[in-house]
Amino acid sequence: MGGAFLAAAVLARLGGRIGLPTIPLFILAGILLGPHTPGIVLVADPHDLEMLSALGLVLLLFYLGLEFHMDDLKAGGRKMAIAGGSYLALNVGAGLGFGFALGWGTSEALVLAGVLGISSSAIVTKVLVDTGRLGNPETKPILGIIVVEDIFLALYLAALQPILSGANSLSAAVMDGGKAFGFLILLALAARFGTRIVGKLFATRDDELLVISFLGAAVFMAGVSEWFGVADAIGAFMVGLMLGSTTSGERIRKLVHPLRDAFGAMFFFAFGLSIDPGDLPVVIWPVLAAVAVTLVMNVLAGLAAARVYGFGPGPAANISTTLLARGEFALILATMAAGAGLDDRLSPFIAGYVLLLAVLGPLAAGQSHWLARVLPKGKAAEVELTPPGRAEAVPGRR
C-alpha cells in the first residue's frame, strides 16, 4: 500500500511538471504496477485495495456534498431537474441506441446505456477541485446534474439487477426499486429538515472528535445506502450536504482535505489495477466510436444546461468537459455484466472506454476555453475564455 501511494505521488509529480492533471496519472500508476502489466507488480489482487478505494469514493462525494449548499438545492431545484434530465436523456438515450447498433444483445444494450450515460462523480469532483472552479457559477448546474444522475443511478441499478439476473418477477423488481426510492426520500427529508439537529450533534471545539464524527457518519451512511440498494456515494453526499450547512461546516471542509486527497488517489490507483491493457485491441473501434458519441452528446447537454441557467459559451464548455469522464458506475456495471454471463466483449469495452475518458476528461476540462471559442452565441466574453491558471486576474472569479 505504501508503494502504491509513493508510485502515484511520483507519477503525479512528474506529470505536474508538464501540466498534466493527476487523475490519469494515478490511473496509469495502477495499470503499470498491477497484475495485468509485465514488470513490477505491487498489488497482485485489485480486491486487496477494495476498501480503501471505496473509502476514497465516499470521501470525494462527501466533500462534494459539503460544497453543495442546501440553499442552492432549494433555490435551483427546478433548473437542476431540467438540466439533469436533459443530460440523462441525451447521454443515456445515445448509449441505448449505440448498444443496439453494436448488435451485442438487449441486456448488453441496457448496460451500455448506463455506461455511456452516467458521469463519474469522483472524477468530476476532482476536476472541479484541481481546476479551481468550485466557486464558478456553472459549478452549481454541474453539481445539480451529478445529484440527478446519482438518483437515477439508484433507480437504474434497482431496475437492471433483476433483468441481468434473469428474474421474471415484476413484484421483486418493484420492491427493490421502491426500497431504494423510499430511502432516497428519507435522506432528502433529513437533509431538508434535520440540519439544525445534526449541527448540534456535531458541534465540538475538538478537531479530533470532529474528524472522527464526520468520517464515521459519512462511511456509516454510505454502508446503509448500499444496503438499501442506493449507491454508497449518494449516502455520503447527503451527509456532506447536511453538515455543510451547519456551524461546523467550514471547519469540516478544511479537515477533510487531506483525507479526501489521500484516499481519492487510492480510488483512482485501484481503478487502474482493474484494467487489462491486453484486452483493449479487440474492442478498440467500438470504444473510439463510443467516445465520439459521448463527446457530441456532452457538448449538446452542456449547451442545454447553459441555456437553462442563462450562461454563455465559456460556462457551457466547462459543463460539457467537466462531466465528460466516466468511471466507478461503469465499472460496477462491468462487474454485473460479467456475473450475468453477458457478451465477453463487454468488459474490455467498458475498461477501454472508461480509461480513455478518464484521461481525456480532465485534459479537456483544463483546456475548455478552446471549446468555448467554437460554441454558438458568437465570441465568448473574455472572462469565459480565460485559460486555467489566469482566472485569478478577473475579479470575482476562481
Side-chain angles (χ1 to χ4, degrees):
M1 191 176 75
F5 274 114
L6 289 173
V10 169
L11 271 179
R13 278 175 173 265
L14 293 174
R17 293 181 180 274
I18 56 175
L20 291 177
T22 58
I23 294 170
L25 294 168
F26 292 153
I27 295 172
L28 180 61
I31 294 174
L32 295 177
L33 300 172
H36 306 297
T37 307
I40 299 173
V41 177
L42 277 183
V43 185
D45 185 359
H47 293 292
D48 290 344
L49 294 182
E50 191 171 12
M51 183 58 72
L52 286 177
S53 172
L55 187 56
L57 178 60
V58 164
L59 287 170
L60 283 166
L61 269 293
F62 173 73
Y63 182 79
L64 190 68
L66 289 172
E67 292 291 340
F68 196 90
H69 298 292
M70 282 299 298
D71 291 340
D72 297 334
L73 191 60
K74 296 172 191 174
R78 182 173 175 272
K79 289 183 177 180
M80 182 181 76
I82 294 173
S86 300
Y87 188 91
L88 286 172
L90 287 167
N91 284 274
V92 174
L96 185 62
F98 181 82
F100 281 123
L102 283 180
W104 291 355
T106 301
S107 295
E108 286 80 359
L110 290 171
V111 170
L112 288 173
V115 171
L116 271 67
I118 306 293
S119 306
S120 168
S121 301
I123 296 178
V124 168
T125 307
K126 191 70 167 60
V127 166
L128 289 172
V129 172
D130 288 351
T131 56
R133 291 176 183 161
L134 283 171
N136 284 15
E138 70 271 12
T139 298
K140 289 182 181 180
I142 290 172
L143 299 185
I145 290 171
I146 289 295
V147 171
V148 173
E149 283 187 324
D150 282 340
I151 294 172
F152 172 80
L153 181 154
L155 300 176
Y156 184 77
L157 279 180
L160 191 62
Q161 182 62 51
I163 296 173
L164 295 185
S165 63
N168 52 13
S169 171
L170 179 61
S171 60
V174 171
M175 184 174 293
D176 288 342
K179 184 172 73 170
F181 187 72
F183 183 67
L184 287 171
I185 294 295
L186 188 63
L187 283 178
L189 290 173
R192 173 67 178 84
F193 300 106
T195 303
R196 182 174 298 179
I197 297 173
V198 170
K200 291 180 180 178
L201 291 174
F202 280 80
T204 176
R205 295 182 178 180
D206 191 318
D207 284 350
E208 179 186 13
L209 291 178
L210 186 58
V211 169
I212 294 171
S213 298
F214 73 68
L215 184 60
V219 176
F220 178 77
M221 191 53 65
V224 173
S225 297
E226 196 170 62
W227 188 80
F228 274 96
V230 177
D232 52 2
I234 197 171
F237 175 87
M238 296 302 287
V239 173
L241 188 65
M242 285 186 272
L243 292 179
S245 301
T246 66
T247 54
S248 304
E250 189 57 39
R251 285 174 60 210
I252 293 173
R253 271 188 281 274
K254 293 179 181 178
L255 292 170
V256 79
H257 275 191
L259 293 170
R260 179 205 68 194
D261 292 341
F263 289 102
M266 278 299 97
F267 171 81
F268 297 112
F269 181 87
F271 175 39
L273 292 175
S274 67
I275 295 174
D276 184 353
D279 291 337
L280 302 183
V282 181
V283 291
I284 186 64
W285 294 113
V287 166
L288 293 176
V291 168
V293 169
T294 303
L295 287 169
V296 172
M297 289 300 107
N298 261 57
V299 171
L300 294 176
L303 288 170
R307 184 168 185 177
V308 169
Y309 283 83
F311 294 148
N318 287 345
I319 294 170
S320 300
T321 54
T322 303
L323 291 167
L324 185 60
R326 302 295 187 260
E328 60 279 2
F329 178 54
L331 298 181
I332 291 170
L333 284 175
T335 303
M336 291 173 62
L342 300 187
D343 195 298
D344 292 338
R345 293 169 291 183
L346 204 54
S347 290
F349 169 86
I350 293 173
Y353 171 77
V354 170
L355 175 62
L356 199 53
L357 283 181
V359 173
L360 183 60
L363 292 174
Q367 302 297 324
S368 61
H369 56 285
W370 293 108
L371 175 61
R373 294 179 186 274
V374 298
L375 290 181
K377 296 284 186 183
K379 293 184 178 180
E382 183 180 352
V383 64
E384 293 179 343
L385 295 179
T386 304
R390 293 175 59 192
E392 62 270 17
V394 183
R397 298 283 289 186
R398 290 176 61 187

